[in-house]
Amino acid sequence: MPLVIDIHTHVYPPAYMEMLRARKTVPYVHDPSNNKDPRLIILSSDDDPSIPIDQRGRPVDSSYWDINVKLAFMRQHGINCSVISLANPWLDFVEPSDAQMWAERINNNLEETCAGVNKAADPGNTLNLDQKETLFAMGALPLSAPSSGIVVNEIKRLKTLPHLRGVIMGTSGLGKGLDDATLDPVWQALQDTDTLMFLHPHYGLPDEAFGGSDATSRYGHVLPLALGFPLETTIAVTRMLLSGVFDRFPRLKILLAHSGGTLPFLAGRIDSCIHHERKFISGGGDVQGPQRSVWDVLKTNIYLDAVVYGKPGLEAAMAASGSDRLLFGTDHPFFPPLDSKEGDWPSVSTNYNAIHATFDTDSETVADVLGGNAARILNLE
Amino acid sequence: MPLVIDIHTHVYPPAYMEMLRARKTVPYVHDPSNNKDPRLIILSSDDDPSIPIDQRGRPVDSSYWDINVKLAFMRQHGINCSVISLANPWLDFVEPSDAQMWAERINNNLEETCAGVNKAADPGNTLNLDQKETLFAMGALPLSAPSSGIVVNEIKRLKTLPHLRGVIMGTSGLGKGLDDATLDPVWQALQDTDTLMFLHPHYGLPDEAFGGSDATSRYGHVLPLALGFPLETTIAVTRMLLSGVFDRFPRLKILLAHSGGTLPFLAGRIDSCIHHERKFISGGGDVQGPQRSVWDVLKTNIYLDAVVYGKPGLEAAMAASGSDRLLFGTDHPFFPPLDSKEGDWPSVSTNYNAIHATFDTDSETVADVLGGNAARILNLE
């Protein structure tokens, strides 16, 4: 059996849940009066006053904060190792003066959780990844801090924590998106420390994109989650490309959630639109366009998770970045089965099946995507 | 040499240009004072008062309205037959009382143009598509008309015009999107008359999706055209799916521009989000979700053009819908070379090359995608 590593799996540590419980605006946690599971309200579209507060957002259970539940989920689904990351919206909303404290607290907590689990899995400390479930983690960044120096310091500090293997980041950056030049010290620090950045969506698209709030909510979360999330990721990384981030930091390593949102599929159109843009110097204008092509960046800087739920997406991801840059993930604990959580999760088996269907009889590539790539790229051995 | 048929190629007939010239709000045409090419301002983001009006929008030349220029383009690029369609924004903005008149005028004009060209190509009327350039057309619909009955009548009338082979439509429908139940008579008429509907973007995404109007315009048209357009198409067809249009009209035939926007790539995520949606009856809620799966619709109702500028997109399109539903197109006269229009257009050769790279040595499939599929599906022989 190949080693299976899940690089897209989230946690809300207990301290983070308590912080959300103390809030009354998005993001927040509400405990219903009926003793049912707490409600997590993290999307502004979920904070709809016309919905009773006990039904707002989504129910969350212990799978979101109890690491033992995640370990049981891993065991059930044949996952040997998980690289856990704080779930959205991370620390984006934290008061500037509290950002550093929260980043350190969360990241130290992640380190302790991983260390404790791995020690229990392997008391003799002769780490053998395919024996018991083990954990590594990606850190959270204090992006709302008063200065980017605080972010840079935390990136450097993470290298001293033995189980930290990268950082997770949303699309807002320091508040103005990822093409904001004031992020350059952050990109520099990520590049200098050879730290993988996991880019993950949270904010989606404005309701008007879906025909207004009525149209958006008519189909529950389908439009914001199925289309808004992947587009948010695509827009963010395209703005990075267009503003020259990959020209200035050619060794940045970015893992894109959900197989790149839609980047592999749209890369050709992005490339063509850049080549036909009159505003860029290459098109006769006066704005410096990107110097490196999206194709080059996809094969040099970008890694893609395999959380795309089907063969067409994986085919595009493989053609754009190569199967050696594709990494298995689950998005746990999101998308649980709606009936019972006892059996296998369809959201997981769909992705397993898609990997097998795409790479067919090439068992070596299947093994690479399921775990070999992650072990190599994140140095998990 | 295989027959090459271009199913994505647009015209602004002279009468339409005159109508745009008479307007002062988007969409409109402005003739610069310097005797240069007229400017076409069709996107609201282009109607920026801070840009001198002589530089607003994009320059358009005779390739947009002179059919002889299109025929020369076809000859140069080895295209035997083009299925021309009115370019965006079609008749979406026309006064309700004028809609029927304009639809009839445009569609009769398209019919006459095709008939004249084909007669000249083949005076003996023994139509042999691989001899000379020939034309067919997709009609425009009077969607702003006071009643859907006027739209239905025009769909039926188009069947009496020998060179009309479908209709082109934007994403606004009767003004409320394509999940609007008042469109049902239109879907019924399209299904009953076995008329292919070419779904094409125009409105893109709100500027906020790209970080506001400054961020959007910073990179010229790249973000709205490369990302906004494909997402608009994806959202529109997903709303059709979610509202049950394909359940009620299981024989609808829809050709999606730009290889489906991003539908092939996101189909798996859409399917997963539907299966995990608590609002739908299948998830314990009280809203009827779609009964047919996106995978079924992709292989039964959807056709995809091959205007996606790269192998990853074509791989996804093929995996989602099959190579027998994929049709070559150019998007002419948009995306001309920025330097000189004399040589081959890179926007065309990129798509040619992607088709050859994707289907490699399978010359039969290459021939199907380049023309065989279109000839069969649109009955062009």
Side-chain angles (χ1 to χ4, degrees):
Chain A
M1 288 291 288
L3 187 68
V4 178
I5 301 176
D6 180 0
I7 53 78
H8 189 157
T9 178
H10 301 296
V11 290
Y12 288 120
Y16 188 87
M17 285 294 290
E18 286 315 307
M19 172 174 67
L20 294 183
R21 272 197 171 83
R23 293 174 54 88
K24 297 290 171 209
T25 55
V26 169
Y28 65 100
V29 164
H30 168 76
D31 289 297
S33 47
N34 53 11
N35 275 330
K36 288 203 171 173
D37 283 334
R39 309 292 300 192
L40 180 69
I41 300 100
I42 55 171
L43 302 176
S44 53
S45 58
D46 284 341
D47 195 29
D48 180 348
S50 74
I51 300 172
I53 190 163
D54 284 5
Q55 293 164 33
R56 234 172 270 175
R58 75 186 92 197
V60 288
D61 62 16
S62 56
S63 64
Y64 286 73
W65 58 81
D66 183 345
I67 203 68
N68 289 310
V69 179
K70 190 176 294 284
L71 292 169
F73 164 85
M74 291 169 64
R75 209 164 299 131
Q76 177 174 4
H77 291 89
I79 296 163
N80 309 97
C81 174
S82 287
V83 186
I84 58 176
S85 51
L86 186 62
N88 50 311
W90 315 284
L91 304 175
D92 283 9
F93 57 92
V94 171
E95 283 298 317
S97 56
D98 295 342
Q100 180 180 353
M101 177 272 288
W102 271 109
E104 292 178 1
R105 182 183 293 187
I106 294 289
N107 293 333
N108 290 346
N109 177 284
L110 291 170
E111 169 60 27
E112 286 156 23
T113 299
C114 295
V117 165
N118 293 3
K119 193 170 177 194
D122 182 41
N125 204 23
T126 54
L127 199 57
N128 185 342
L129 281 175
D130 57 10
Q131 286 302 309
K132 281 253 188 149
E133 291 75 28
T134 55
L135 297 181
F136 290 89
M138 299 194 195
L141 293 178
L143 292 166
S144 65
S147 86
S148 63
I150 295 172
V151 184
V152 168
N153 286 343
E154 186 61 11
I155 291 170
K156 291 178 182 165
R157 195 183 74 89
L158 289 176
K159 300 304 275 190
T160 68
L161 303 182
H163 294 88
L164 270 286
R165 285 292 188 280
V167 295
I168 188 165
M169 200 163 150
T171 63
S172 69
L174 303 175
K176 295 181 179 172
L178 301 187
D179 54 0
D180 177 3
T182 61
L183 271 167
D184 274 10
V186 175
W187 305 136
Q188 187 76 57
L190 290 172
Q191 176 170 285
D192 289 348
T193 55
D194 195 27
T195 298
L196 180 79
M197 187 271 265
F198 183 17
L199 177 58
H200 194 288
H202 168 71
Y203 300 95
L205 293 176
D207 283 345
E208 305 90 280
F210 303 115
S213 58
D214 281 358
T216 308
S217 63
R218 190 176 305 152
Y219 313 112
H221 290 96
V222 176
L223 291 170
L225 287 185
L227 309 185
F229 262 37
L231 241 285
E232 179 193 353
T233 307
T234 313
I235 290 170
V237 67
T238 305
R239 287 172 66 183
M240 288 177 72
L241 176 86
L242 292 172
S243 66
V245 170
F246 297 107
D247 299 328
R248 297 196 295 286
F249 306 99
R251 296 190 313 283
L252 262 189
K253 290 181 178 175
I254 310 224
L255 168 65
L256 297 179
H258 315 118
S259 296
T262 63
L263 185 68
F265 190 86
L266 291 180
R269 189 168 171 90
I270 292 166
D271 194 58
S272 182
C273 284
I274 289 170
H275 283 293
H276 288 89
E277 178 50 53
R278 292 177 216 280
K279 192 157 191 165
F280 293 152
I281 290 169
S282 58
D286 53 11
V287 173
Q288 177 72 276
Q291 299 303 293
R292 293 180 56 211
S293 83
V294 64
W295 299 120
D296 178 23
V297 168
L298 272 162
K299 288 195 194 310
T300 309
N301 304 91
I302 304 274
Y303 300 93
L304 303 168
D305 74 24
V307 185
V308 70
Y309 309 96
K311 190 172 188 282
L314 284 181
E315 292 276 7
M318 180 171 62
S321 290
S323 58
D324 57 332
R325 307 179 77 81
L326 203 52
L327 298 89
F328 174 76
T330 63
D331 222 342
H332 182 265
F334 297 97
F335 303 107
L338 293 187
D339 40 4
S340 153
K341 296 194 189 179
E342 299 304 310
D344 280 355
W345 288 29
S347 59
V348 177
S349 51
T350 302
N351 280 312
Y352 263 127
N353 293 342
I355 291 168
H356 283 284
T358 304
F359 303 106
D360 202 17
T361 55
D362 179 357
S363 58
E364 202 175 315
T365 302
V366 169
D368 285 347
V369 174
L370 288 180
N373 292 337
R376 184 187 77 246
I377 293 162
L378 291 170
N379 187 28
L380 301 184
E381 296 180 280
Chain B
M1 290 291 288
L3 185 70
V4 179
I5 300 176
D6 180 358
I7 52 79
H8 189 157
T9 178
H10 300 296
V11 291
Y12 288 119
Y16 188 87
M17 286 294 290
E18 286 316 308
M19 172 173 66
L20 293 183
R21 271 195 172 83
R23 294 173 53 89
K24 297 292 170 209
T25 55
V26 170
Y28 65 100
V29 164
H30 169 75
D31 288 298
S33 47
N34 54 11
N35 275 330
K36 288 203 170 174
D37 283 335
R39 309 292 298 193
L40 180 68
I41 300 100
I42 55 171
L43 303 176
S44 54
S45 59
D46 285 340
D47 195 30
D48 179 350
S50 73
I51 301 171
I53 190 164
D54 284 4
Q55 293 163 35
R56 233 171 272 175
R58 73 187 93 197
V60 289
D61 62 15
S62 56
S63 64
Y64 287 73
W65 58 81
D66 182 346
I67 203 69
N68 289 311
V69 179
K70 190 175 293 285
L71 292 169
F73 164 86
M74 290 168 63
R75 209 164 298 131
Q76 178 174 2
H77 291 88
I79 295 163
N80 308 97
C81 174
S82 287
V83 185
I84 58 176
S85 51
L86 186 62
N88 49 312
W90 314 284
L91 304 174
D92 282 9
F93 58 91
V94 170
E95 283 296 319
S97 55
D98 294 341
Q100 181 180 353
M101 177 273 286
W102 271 109
E104 292 178 0
R105 184 183 291 187
I106 293 289
N107 292 334
N108 290 345
N109 178 285
L110 290 170
E111 169 60 29
E112 285 156 22
T113 299
C114 295
V117 164
N118 292 4
K119 193 169 179 195
D122 182 38
N125 204 23
T126 54
L127 198 57
N128 184 343
L129 280 175
D130 58 8
Q131 287 302 309
K132 281 251 188 151
E133 291 74 29
T134 56
L135 298 180
F136 290 88
M138 299 194 196
L141 294 180
L143 291 167
S144 65
S147 85
S148 64
I150 294 172
V151 184
V152 168
N153 285 343
E154 186 62 11
I155 292 169
K156 290 179 182 165
R157 194 183 76 87
L158 289 175
K159 300 305 276 190
T160 69
L161 303 182
H163 294 87
L164 270 287
R165 286 293 187 280
V167 295
I168 188 166
M169 200 163 152
T171 62
S172 69
L174 302 176
K176 294 182 179 171
L178 301 187
D179 54 359
D180 177 2
T182 61
L183 271 167
D184 274 10
V186 175
W187 304 136
Q188 186 76 57
L190 290 171
Q191 176 170 286
D192 288 348
T193 55
D194 196 28
T195 298
L196 181 78
M197 187 270 266
F198 182 18
L199 177 59
H200 194 289
H202 168 72
Y203 299 96
L205 294 176
D207 283 345
E208 304 92 279
F210 304 115
S213 58
D214 282 358
T216 309
S217 64
R218 190 176 304 151
Y219 314 111
H221 289 96
V222 176
L223 291 171
L225 287 185
L227 309 185
F229 262 38
L231 240 286
E232 180 193 352
T233 307
T234 313
I235 291 170
V237 67
T238 305
R239 288 171 67 182
M240 288 178 71
L241 176 85
L242 292 173
S243 67
V245 170
F246 296 108
D247 299 328
R248 297 196 297 284
F249 306 99
R251 296 188 314 282
L252 263 188
K253 290 181 178 176
I254 308 222
L255 169 64
L256 296 180
H258 315 118
S259 296
T262 63
L263 186 67
F265 191 84
L266 291 180
R269 190 169 168 88
I270 293 167
D271 194 57
S272 182
C273 284
I274 289 170
H275 283 293
H276 289 88
E277 179 49 54
R278 291 173 215 276
K279 193 158 189 165
F280 293 152
I281 290 169
S282 58
D286 53 10
V287 173
Q288 177 74 275
Q291 299 303 295
R292 292 181 56 211
S293 83
V294 63
W295 299 120
D296 177 25
V297 168
L298 272 161
K299 287 197 194 311
T300 310
N301 303 91
I302 304 275
Y303 300 94
L304 303 168
D305 74 24
V307 185
V308 70
Y309 309 97
K311 190 172 188 284
L314 285 181
E315 292 277 6
M318 181 171 60
S321 289
S323 59
D324 57 330
R325 307 179 78 82
L326 203 51
L327 298 87
F328 175 76
T330 63
D331 222 343
H332 182 265
F334 295 98
F335 303 107
L338 292 187
D339 41 3
S340 153
K341 295 195 191 182
E342 299 304 311
D344 280 354
W345 288 29
S347 58
V348 178
S349 51
T350 302
N351 280 313
Y352 264 128
N353 293 342
I355 291 169
H356 283 284
T358 304
F359 303 106
D360 202 17
T361 54
D362 180 359
S363 59
E364 201 174 316
T365 301
V366 169
D368 285 347
V369 174
L370 288 179
N373 292 339
R376 182 187 80 245
I377 294 161
L378 291 170
N379 187 26
L380 302 183
E381 296 181 277

